[in-house]
Amino acid sequence: MPTNSLFQKTRLRLAFWYAGVMGLLLSASGWVVYEVVSYIRWQVIDTELESIAGILHDGLEPYLKQSSQIAPEIQSLLPGVCLAGELCMQHTNQPGPQVLGRLHNEGYYARFLDKSGRVVATLGLLPGQTSDQARDKTSLQLAIDTSLINCSHGCLEKRTWQILNVDETLRYRQVSLLLTTSTTETWGYLQLGKSLEEFDWFIFRLRLIFLLGLPLAVVMIAGAAWWMAGLAMRPVYQSYQQIQQFTADAAHELRTPLAAIRATVEANLRNDQLTLEQACATLQTIHRQNHRLSQLVQDLLLLSRLDLRVITLQHAECCLNDLISDLLEEFFPLAIAANIKLATDVPGDHPLVVLGNEEQLYRLLANLVTNAIHYTPAHGEVRVRLERNEGYAIIQVQDTGIGISIPDQAHIFDRFYRVTSDRSRETGGSGLGLAIAQAIAKSHQGDIKVQSELGKGSTFIVRLPLKSNTNRLSIESKGIDT
């Protein structure tokens, strides 16, 4: 695949689209997370301010007797409160209610206003005010005069929320609350605020994480997409290579007999004195090559149909004991002609029955026995064994032939593959026998394996489910398919 431009472009497109879609999804998810987290943190600030303002309102209401007047009880209840026009000193260690400890922390402040919006008293550092300014008699007036915190007409409501911008980096969240006396008369207003510096810093870090993390995540996703696209396309590429190899091999196999037929016909056409014997020899050659072509086409068609499962095989009870006996009876003359001993180890008192197509099973075993005889030298032996093992019939075709190397064993069931091509062509083989045998075994819910060693022979092992085990396998296979 690295050298194939078509697959490389396809892999690149897959990786690009995957990374793009995942980037959009991550961006949308990040935006939602950002909005939700920001909203939650904002609600926490509002809830905290509202809770403190409510506690102050409920605690101060009994002491709010005269409008716009801070009673001594309020000064005792709120240590550190600074009246308008008086020296403002910070009392950070004064005892008081637990909730007031927050007001003494940096970032919180409270203001008391009369009904006209004039500041009566303050508590804590006002927006834009420093600790040194708080000790200055004029600092309170400076804080009051700033336009950023002056109470507008909108704040003189029962409850109003505001955002005060002191400068480009410092903001405050403020709530204005109506205060009433014990006789339900309007006393004035309470303004409670909190610095948004911590919130803004949190939002800045959150944005930074998303701005830096999202591109990094997209890059990592792109790399992972490239790797996964390669993994996903590897079987497709292997199939593509197999198709290319199959096409080349099929063309080669078809070209050989066609070339022989053409050469024979052209030679006879140039012969002006063609005798009857020569004509008969020519026709025999054409017939032989035509038979080879027909057999090759039939084998290819059979493999294609087995792969696509378009063949409707009539499965019936097949006794493997009888099938092997008939098979060996047919191949005895071929073994004798090759000076090879053909033997069997088949139990006679325990018949092994499978559900399958007898003709296809016969062809499976015939291909294995034929290969064993062809690749076993004279005075060798070919033995067929039949035994039962855990609900399966095990058929072993053993020979004392030339053997198969380990690299060849990985491709022995590939189509048109030959271990020794010269000898295969002499025997008329096309390299499809083992591929057909494997396809037939799989169509019967079985499998076929090979064990071999160079110079010591080979053993092909076929495993087929017995009749009692076939129904269970069929049910399991249907369950998996559904």
Side-chain angles (χ1 to χ4, degrees):
M1 188 164 61
T3 59
N4 192 296
S5 60
L6 175 63
F7 281 88
Q8 286 292 344
K9 291 179 180 179
T10 304
R11 182 181 182 183
L12 183 61
R13 290 193 190 100
L14 287 176
F16 173 78
W17 282 108
Y18 183 82
V21 171
M22 288 300 298
L24 290 177
L25 291 177
L26 284 178
S27 300
S29 301
W31 178 79
V32 171
V33 171
Y34 171 79
E35 292 294 332
V36 170
V37 172
S38 301
Y39 176 79
I40 292 175
R41 291 295 293 257
W42 193 261
Q43 290 299 313
V44 168
I45 293 175
D46 287 353
T47 301
E48 183 180 9
L49 288 176
E50 191 170 9
S51 175
I52 296 175
I55 294 175
L56 287 176
H57 176 274
D58 295 340
L60 297 177
E61 188 176 14
Y63 306 105
L64 298 176
K65 299 178 181 179
Q66 187 176 355
S67 176
S68 305
Q69 296 293 325
I70 302 296
E73 293 84 358
I74 296 178
Q75 298 184 36
S76 300
L77 184 64
L78 299 177
V81 66
C82 182
L83 300 180
E86 295 184 1
L87 181 63
C88 298
M89 297 296 294
Q90 296 298 306
H91 304 279
T92 56
N93 297 322
Q94 292 291 339
Q98 183 178 1
V99 70
L100 298 181
R102 298 184 181 179
L103 296 178
H104 293 300
N105 293 336
E106 185 177 357
Y108 288 88
Y109 70 90
R111 297 200 308 165
F112 296 90
L113 290 76
D114 59 16
K115 291 185 287 185
S116 62
R118 183 177 60 87
V119 176
V120 177
T122 63
L123 183 63
L125 293 179
L126 298 177
Q129 187 183 34
T130 64
S131 299
D132 294 336
Q133 290 177 335
R135 294 182 175 88
D136 189 356
K137 291 184 178 181
T138 62
S139 62
L140 176 61
Q141 188 62 37
L142 290 173
I144 294 172
D145 290 341
T146 177
S147 60
L148 294 174
I149 62 172
N150 279 344
C151 181
S152 62
H153 295 289
C155 75
L156 299 180
E157 302 290 342
K158 188 173 182 180
R159 180 167 299 179
T160 305
W161 292 92
Q162 292 176 294
I163 297 179
L164 307 179
N165 296 310
V166 177
D167 53 37
E168 295 181 355
T169 60
L170 185 59
R171 301 189 304 159
Y172 282 81
R173 180 63 167 167
Q174 176 179 284
V175 59
S176 300
L177 192 66
L178 181 66
L179 295 178
T180 58
T181 64
S182 57
T183 59
T184 67
E185 295 181 2
T186 300
W187 181 91
Y189 302 91
L190 168 66
Q191 288 184 338
L192 181 65
K194 178 184 178 181
S195 172
L196 295 179
E197 183 178 4
E198 182 181 354
F199 172 80
D200 291 339
W201 175 241
F202 171 80
I203 294 299
F204 171 77
R205 288 183 296 175
L206 188 62
R207 290 175 180 173
L208 187 63
I209 290 173
F210 282 120
L211 290 177
L212 296 181
L214 183 60
L216 180 61
V218 171
V219 171
M220 295 177 63
I221 289 174
W226 176 263
W227 176 69
M228 289 189 295
L231 288 181
M233 293 185 63
R234 187 172 298 170
V236 180
Y237 181 69
Q238 291 175 351
S239 300
Y240 175 76
Q241 283 186 316
Q242 290 176 355
I243 292 174
Q244 283 189 320
Q245 184 65 36
F246 173 79
T247 304
D249 292 339
H252 180 72
E253 292 295 331
L254 292 172
R255 183 180 61 184
T256 301
L258 289 175
I261 293 174
R262 181 178 179 180
T264 302
V265 172
E266 288 179 351
N268 283 273
L269 289 176
R270 288 193 298 266
N271 188 359
D272 297 333
Q273 300 177 353
L274 185 65
T275 64
L276 180 61
E277 294 179 356
Q278 291 174 336
C280 291
T282 300
L283 292 176
Q284 289 177 354
T285 301
I286 294 175
H287 175 74
R288 185 170 59 253
Q289 297 298 335
N290 181 70
H291 176 74
R292 182 179 178 183
L293 283 173
S294 299
Q295 187 64 41
L296 178 61
V297 172
Q298 289 179 3
D299 290 344
L300 291 175
L301 183 61
L302 174 63
L303 280 173
S304 177
R305 290 179 174 179
L306 287 175
D307 290 341
L308 297 176
R309 297 183 180 180
V310 297
I311 296 181
T312 304
L313 298 177
Q314 298 296 329
H315 284 196
E317 294 183 3
C318 300
C319 180
L320 295 179
N321 306 59
D322 298 336
L323 188 66
I324 293 175
S325 298
D326 295 341
L327 178 71
L328 295 185
E329 183 178 348
E330 179 180 347
F331 278 90
F332 264 123
L334 180 62
I336 293 174
N339 196 13
I340 294 174
K341 179 182 178 181
L342 186 59
T344 62
D345 289 333
V346 177
D349 53 345
H350 297 290
L352 300 182
V353 179
V354 299
L355 286 178
N357 184 274
E358 185 173 356
E359 180 181 352
Q360 296 295 334
L361 292 176
Y362 185 89
R363 183 167 187 179
L364 185 158
L365 298 178
N367 288 348
L368 296 180
V369 174
T370 301
N371 280 348
I373 293 175
H374 286 166
Y375 289 98
T376 300
H379 308 291
E381 179 181 359
V382 175
R383 182 174 296 272
V384 181
R385 300 178 183 273
L386 176 64
E387 59 185 8
R388 177 181 184 142
N389 184 14
E390 297 181 355
Y392 286 87
I394 307 298
I395 306 172
Q396 297 183 13
V397 179
Q398 300 175 335
D399 63 64
T400 58
I402 60 176
I404 306 171
S405 64
I406 294 179
D408 288 328
Q409 292 180 27
H411 305 282
I412 194 66
F413 295 103
D414 293 346
R415 299 171 187 182
F416 298 111
Y417 187 83
R418 298 182 179 88
V419 177
T420 54
S421 57
D422 294 339
R423 185 169 184 180
S424 298
R425 294 191 183 280
E426 291 176 1
T427 58
S430 61
L432 295 176
L434 291 180
I436 292 175
Q438 185 184 54
I440 294 174
K442 289 183 177 180
S443 67
H444 287 76
Q445 301 179 7
D447 56 45
I448 180 172
K449 298 180 181 179
V450 61
Q451 296 176 355
S452 182
E453 187 176 350
L454 283 177
K456 296 184 179 180
S458 306
T459 301
F460 287 85
I461 304 172
V462 180
R463 192 178 68 153
L464 299 172
L466 294 173
K467 177 185 175 182
S468 58
N469 198 30
T470 303
N471 294 332
R472 179 180 62 83
L473 292 176
S474 299
I475 294 175
E476 292 178 354
S477 177
K478 291 179 180 179
I480 293 175
D481 294 339
T482 55

